[in-house]
């Protein structure tokens, strides 16, 4: 009896196991089917298209902030159709020109991997073409002065009516408020976003940084807004407006300085050199020179050759866990146990003297020698690299961060590739388009105009530069 019971139990256990397996299989199959999930690609990594394949962008951007955003989306695989004014195009095509008659690096380095169509957005036929583009695109990106898009007739209401799925993404200088109507360029944003007042040396004027945190920084913020809106659209079926104000973008990047503003209420900012120098703090976050913005003190120090090479410097961080290694390296082993130097709080008022001592050592080595010696000991340091060194750095070429592309009128040039690396979506960094290079192709293949219609459009003047008046007409 016991034997039979045991056998029955074993049988039912096996059946349960089999059923469970079946249920799991069935559920997984059903789940995949009901969610409409695509099957995993059979193609190897990097061969199954790019992240934003299928996303079409009506790129109404110019200068730097908007083009940074759309170039990044193009690198990610979006079909980026840049709409430009006939005969003129993006104003940067001709700004800071280095090769006569060719598009400037300002333009080419911000508009790679895009297509260009010329359309006069104020021409009746041009408006018709734009409406067709609105219907066929997923995202419209623009960074015109406030109100310019509305003046073209492309109000949110008009766009949303034509294509409720469209996402309309804008960069403006300021968000809603007293300055919302202002035109804004990079340095205005750096100043209004709190970066300039906190950059530079205490005894000097506010400084703008070389990094384009107002333009390119805001473009990056906008790109994140766009992909988020695309993701939400999968759920809602609706497009939405995405707004990035340059002031907000800069402030987001300068948030540690707003952190310090609030810390000021509770006493001096002890990691700022001015604390060690006994200089009292005022009411606002001061400029901190080359002080590190975090809890580990750092400074820029001279290296061998600094007398003639403006970039023979290194950023040196006196990270607490490696303090003893630093003392040995610079020939100050006594500082390991000296109560004035042994702990981070004891060192704070003495930072100037400490960095002077470290500099006596760094001045005997090149920045790359300091880097090699310190890295072996886990001491965080960073060489001040010139743009020349960066342009020639083989590892940046190897990773596709710096890419050389060819151009029909200016020849080969360097551009910054995709700094965001996706393992299954390989960045396709191509040259920038010539003005209107893809007008015909887009009219026919994207918008479906017939030969006759294309001829009519060409004759209408909506896609061509206005004829220069003849001498007789001008007289
Ligand atoms: N066909 C016809 N007209 C066109 C056109 C086209 N394809 N493309 C642009 N235009 C027109 C616009 O409609 C606008 O005309 P309007 O003023 O009569 O309405 C005009 O060109 C100029 O546009 P605008 O944006 O005002 O350019 P600007 O050179 O005077 O100003 C900025 C440049 C950058 C200051 C301004 O665009 C701005 O503040 N943008 C938002 C913030 C920003 O992105 N700043 C950083 C730039 S890197």
């Amino acid at each position: 009896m016991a034997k039979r019971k045991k056998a029955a139990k074993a049988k039912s256990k096996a059946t349960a196991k089999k059923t469970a397996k079946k249920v799991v299989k069935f559920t997984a199959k059903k789940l995949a089917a009901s969610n409409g999930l695509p099957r995993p690609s059979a193609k190897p990594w990097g061969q199954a298209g790019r992240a934003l394949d299928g996303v079409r962008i009506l790129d109404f951007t110019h200068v730097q902030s908007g083009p940074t955003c759309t170039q990044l989306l193009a690198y990610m695989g979006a079909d980026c159709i840049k709409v430009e004014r006939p005969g003129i195009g993006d104003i940067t095509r001709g700004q800071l020109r280095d090769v006569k008659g060719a598009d400037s690096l300002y333009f080419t380095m911000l508009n790679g991997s895009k297509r260009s169509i010329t359309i006069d957005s104020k021409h009746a036929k041009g408006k018709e073409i734009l409406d067709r583009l609105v219907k066929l695109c997923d995202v419209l990106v623009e960074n015109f002065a406030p109100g310019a898009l509305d003046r073209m007739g492309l109000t949110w209401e008009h766009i949303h009516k034509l294509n409720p799925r469209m996402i309309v993404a804008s960069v403006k200088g300021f968000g809603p408020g007293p300055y919302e109507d202002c035109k804004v360029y990079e340095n205005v944003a750096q100043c209004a976003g709190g970066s300039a007042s906190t950059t530079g040396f205490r005894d000097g004027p506010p400084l703008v940084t070389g990094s384009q945190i107002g333009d390119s920084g805001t473009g990056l913020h906008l790109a994140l807004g766009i992909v988020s809106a695309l993701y939400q659209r999968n759920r809602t079926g609706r497009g939405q407006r995405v707004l990035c104000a340059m002031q907000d973008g800069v402030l987001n990047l300068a948030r540690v300085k707003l952190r310090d503003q609030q810390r000021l209420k509770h006493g001096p900012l002890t990691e700022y050199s001015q604390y060690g120098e006994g200089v009292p703090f005022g009411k606002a976050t001061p400029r901190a020179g080359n002080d590190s913005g975090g809890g580990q003190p750092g400074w820029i120090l001279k290296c061998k050759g600094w007398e003639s090479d403006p970039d023979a410097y290194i950023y040196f961080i006196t990270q607490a866990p490696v303090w003893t290694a630093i003392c040995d390296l610079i020939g100050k082993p006594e500082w390991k146990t000296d109560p004035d130097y042994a702990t981070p709080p004891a060192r704070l008022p003495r930072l100037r003297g400490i960095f002077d001592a470290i500099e006596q050592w760094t001045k005997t080595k090149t920045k790359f020698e300091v880097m090699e010696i310190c890295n072996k000991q886990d001491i965080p340091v960073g060489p001040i690299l010139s743009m020349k060194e960066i342009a020639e750095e083989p590892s940046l070429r190897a990773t596709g961060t710096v890419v050389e592309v060819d151009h029909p009128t200016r020849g080969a040039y360097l551009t910054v590739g995709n700094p965001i690396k996706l393992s299954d979506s390989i960045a396709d960094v191509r040259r920038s388009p010539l003005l209107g290079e893809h007008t015909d192709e887009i009219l026919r293949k994207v918008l479906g105009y017939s030969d006759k219609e294309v001829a009519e459009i060409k004759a209408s003047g909506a896609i061509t530069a206005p004829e220069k008046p003849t001498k007789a007409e001008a007289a």
Side-chain angles (χ1 to χ4, degrees), residues 297-468:
W299 198 257
I300 288 185
L301 306 177
K302 291 171 182 155
C303 291
K304 197 173 174 178
W306 66 273
E307 298 90 340
S308 54
D309 176 358
D311 298 311
Y313 287 83
I314 192 132
Y315 199 89
F316 199 106
I317 298 175
T318 55
Q319 194 204 12
V322 288
W323 173 244
T324 53
I326 295 171
C327 295
D328 287 334
L329 207 61
I330 63 170
K332 294 274 185 198
E334 65 279 15
W335 280 0
K336 289 192 279 188
T337 47
D338 183 335
D340 279 351
Y341 293 91
T343 63
R347 290 196 286 277
L348 281 177
R350 299 177 177 80
L351 285 177
R352 192 61 266 149
I354 290 171
F355 282 119
D356 283 348
I358 300 173
E359 192 171 62
Q360 290 312 310
W361 176 75
T362 57
K363 270 166 46 178
T364 66
K365 311 263 177 287
T366 69
K367 60 187 175 189
F368 297 110
E369 285 166 353
V370 175
M371 179 86 176
E372 208 183 323
I373 297 167
C374 288
N375 272 342
K376 277 192 193 134
Q377 310 231 29
D378 249 2
I379 302 167
V381 292
I384 309 305
L385 293 183
S386 68
M387 272 301 158
K388 182 173 186 299
E389 286 163 331
I390 287 172
E392 291 164 0
E393 171 58 44
S395 66
L396 292 175
R397 300 289 183 102
T399 56
T401 297
V402 175
V403 184
E404 185 174 302
V405 284
D406 213 354
H407 189 274
T409 54
R410 65 168 300 118
Y413 67 95
L414 287 186
T415 192
V416 182
N418 195 346
I420 303 163
K421 315 294 184 197
L422 274 70
S423 65
D424 200 16
S425 172
I426 308 303
D428 178 17
V429 180
R430 281 172 284 130
R431 71 166 172 86
S432 61
L434 299 173
L435 179 60
E437 183 175 344
H438 306 98
T439 301
D440 207 79
E441 174 184 305
I442 293 163
L443 288 176
R444 290 171 200 276
K445 294 196 181 143
V446 177
L447 300 175
Y449 284 111
S450 65
D451 289 346
K452 189 170 162 255
E453 286 169 321
V454 171
E456 276 167 16
I457 289 169
K458 279 183 182 161
S460 75
I463 59 168
T464 41
E467 296 271 337
K468 279 192 191 137

Side-chain angles (χ1 to χ4, degrees), residues 78-224:
D79 177 15
C80 210
I81 298 175
K82 184 165 172 111
V83 177
E84 296 183 83
R85 207 196 302 223
I88 304 166
D90 187 324
I91 193 164
T92 61
R93 282 187 186 267
Q95 280 180 342
L96 314 177
R97 260 199 181 127
D98 56 329
V99 177
K100 207 173 164 213
D103 289 331
S104 70
L105 286 166
Y106 196 3
F107 176 84
T108 52
M109 290 179 71
L110 284 160
N111 291 284
S113 303
K114 304 180 186 179
R115 300 200 270 178
S116 165
I117 180 171
T118 50
I119 305 174
D120 179 348
S121 63
K122 290 177 178 159
H123 190 288
K125 196 80 189 165
K127 283 177 192 287
E128 203 184 297
I129 303 169
L130 277 171
D131 279 357
R132 213 186 263 213
L133 267 172
V134 166
K135 285 183 195 158
L136 287 167
C137 289
D138 299 282
V139 190
L140 185 157
V141 192
E142 63 93 21
N143 66 308
F144 290 125
L149 198 67
D150 287 357
R151 288 195 288 278
M152 289 177 187
L154 288 171
T155 60
W156 163 251
E157 291 70 25
H158 177 76
I159 295 169
H160 194 62
K161 204 167 156 201
L162 286 180
N163 180 359
R165 289 174 61 78
M166 175 160 265
I167 290 152
V168 178
S170 305
V171 170
K172 295 289 167 257
F174 293 93
Y179 306 122
E180 65 188 10
D181 290 330
C182 298
K183 284 185 175 181
V184 169
Y185 281 106
E186 171 69 48
N187 289 345
V188 176
Q190 287 199 25
C191 294
S195 176
S197 68
T198 53
T199 304
F201 289 91
R202 207 176 50 248
D203 48 4
L207 270 192
V208 293
T209 74
S211 304
Q212 305 287 282
I213 56 175
D215 279 342
S216 287
T218 309
L220 296 179
H221 283 90
L222 193 71
L224 179 58

